[in-house]
Amino acid sequence: MQFLPTELPGVFVIEPEPKADDRGLFARTYCRDEFAAHGLCTDWAQCNVSFNAKAGTLRGMHWQAAPHEEVKLVRCTSGAAHDVVADLRPGSPTYGKWVAVEITAENRRAVYIPGGFAHGFQALADGTELFYQMSAFYVPDAARGARWDDPALGITWPACAKRIIAPRDLSFPDLPI
């Protein structure tokens, strides 16, 4: 695997190194020793799937407040997604900054998201599914969110004919940046 750092310290794009032959390919997508060697989380409490029937579905920006912060390892198992991570760690020199990565079933990339970062994505194809490995259990009282179009973040989302967003995600307040 290749661990590619982003502009946000601690956020990585992880690319598998497939071994291909006439049958197809084989690639490692997680190795506890390799993650530990990079100082990354190796203890996953739960795994989740987000299936998105329609392109234009937008979910986010979500995180859990301390002491229930979650580390996430997110990959696309079907379709394609514009995946966004924003730094919301108080006192961080990159507070309020964000990065976007296209993750697809074809490119097999994963995004590693440390605690203290918000995460969201927009499905780029019908039938897009994301698989999440999570370091912490979901705690409803610790769930937080920022609006996808919060001017304080200024995230650039791909244009689409119709965006599908849950009422909860539309109701998040502006961040105090």
Side-chain angles (χ1 to χ4, degrees):
M1 289 175 289
Q2 293 183 3
F3 294 78
L4 308 173
T6 70
E7 299 85 33
L8 299 179
V11 177
F12 289 87
V13 175
I14 300 170
E15 293 188 349
E17 297 178 299
K19 308 293 185 219
D21 61 24
D22 59 346
R23 300 168 295 167
L25 64 82
F26 177 86
R28 180 178 304 134
T29 60
Y30 174 75
C31 173
R32 182 180 60 227
D33 291 346
E34 288 184 55
F35 272 62
H38 285 85
L40 306 181
C41 178
T42 61
D43 185 21
W44 304 107
Q46 66 184 41
C47 295
N48 304 320
V49 171
S50 173
F51 178 76
N52 304 276
K54 298 290 182 188
T57 299
L58 194 147
R59 297 180 187 254
M61 300 292 293
H62 304 140
W63 72 94
Q64 278 196 169
H68 305 287
E69 294 173 321
E70 303 164 309
V71 175
K72 300 176 183 178
L73 182 61
V74 181
R75 75 180 59 256
C76 183
T77 55
S78 178
H82 179 80
D83 203 70
V84 178
V85 180
D87 187 351
L88 297 182
R89 298 171 299 166
S92 169
T94 56
Y95 183 83
K97 305 291 185 206
W98 57 273
V99 295
V101 179
E102 186 170 311
I103 56 175
T104 70
E106 186 174 304
N107 71 23
R108 296 179 178 85
R109 288 178 177 157
V111 179
Y112 180 89
I113 307 160
F117 288 79
H119 173 254
F121 68 90
Q122 180 178 312
L124 300 176
D126 291 349
T128 293
E129 182 176 273
L130 270 58
F131 177 77
Y132 291 69
Q133 289 173 251
M134 311 291 284
S135 68
F137 295 106
Y138 177 66
V139 178
D141 290 343
R144 301 289 186 271
R147 226 177 40 256
W148 69 283
D149 62 349
D150 188 321
L153 294 174
I155 297 169
T156 303
W157 296 95
C160 64
K162 181 180 179 195
R163 227 174 235 121
I164 303 163
I165 306 173
R168 174 179 171 256
D169 286 356
L170 291 170
S171 71
F172 290 134
D174 286 348
L175 290 172
I177 293 183

